[in-house]
Amino acid sequence: MSQDREQPQGASGPAERTATVGGRRVTYLDSQGPRPALLALHGHFGRGRIFAPLARALAGRYRLLAPDQRGHGHSDRADTYAPEAYADDAAALLDALAIPSAAVLGHSMGGAVAFVLAARAPERVRALLVADMTVLNREPEAHPVLDCSRWPRRAASRRALGSAIEAHGVPDAGYFLDSAAEFHDGWGLLCDPGAMMASQRAFAGDLSAWWRASGQPALLMRAEHSFMLSERVARRMADERPRTELVAFPGCGHWLYEDDPDGFARAVGSFLDRAVG
């Protein structure tokens, strides 16, 4: 069962809804309609609503569903943050919405969830889209754990929260502030630092076996200035998995969907038109 939570994008935009999945509350963005479904999965510290611009760009072509994953946003916390648990959540949400299969897009950690889901439940994934996620999520190739254990629980204002996060070595807290909210005792993040530490550690390591274990058509998107996915590993990923296309995003950093929203939407839409349209 699901219901509308809010619809900040206007009557024709994606609605934020809630559903009960496995006994837990899941909040998700839904652009609605009978069109082919695209399940979009955010990264650590994120929220489903980061995909609202993509939902608008694909309006009339694809139905975008973007959940707040376990422990993130307005969705409930969980006892475990293993990649398999995240993937099972994604499949359970499709079940709750009576969607047999969907194209699945993931950014960063969400990209790993997407290819784990593609391996564990290939019948549910029509096409796979991975945005700036490595399979070698370990030092020195990547820095899999951002230490947020000492970040402030509350601050007097949204700006003060951002400044306090940046004081712990984060150059720009903008991405994290997208998950900020005002509570009765001040401003804080919707995600719990302890849960984020556990989740990041659960995804650390060599994820190559999961990546190679599926055969759906895939699009691998890499940002030129990525701190997560090197050009060398991206080429290796494309070479070792059949039916995988590699697309580079010049001038972009890790959050390529924000640095080049039009190019991101074009790449995603074009690939979906060829793979599932």
Side-chain angles (χ1 to χ4, degrees), residues 213-235:
S214 64
Q216 301 92 335
L219 177 67
L220 178 61
M221 295 171 276
R222 178 187 178 269
E224 180 184 12
H225 303 301
S226 174
F227 56 75
M228 177 70 70
L229 177 60
S230 69
E231 182 177 5
R232 177 183 64 84
V233 173
R235 291 190 180 279

Side-chain angles (χ1 to χ4, degrees), residues 152-194:
R153 179 178 173 274
R154 295 288 185 267
S157 66
R158 189 175 185 273
R159 176 176 291 183
L161 179 64
S163 296
I165 291 173
E166 290 172 357
H168 286 272
V170 175
D172 183 354
Y175 168 74
F176 304 97
L177 291 181
D178 203 37
S179 292
E182 187 173 14
F183 298 85
H184 68 90
D185 56 348
W187 281 81
L189 297 180
L190 291 168
C191 49
D192 175 72

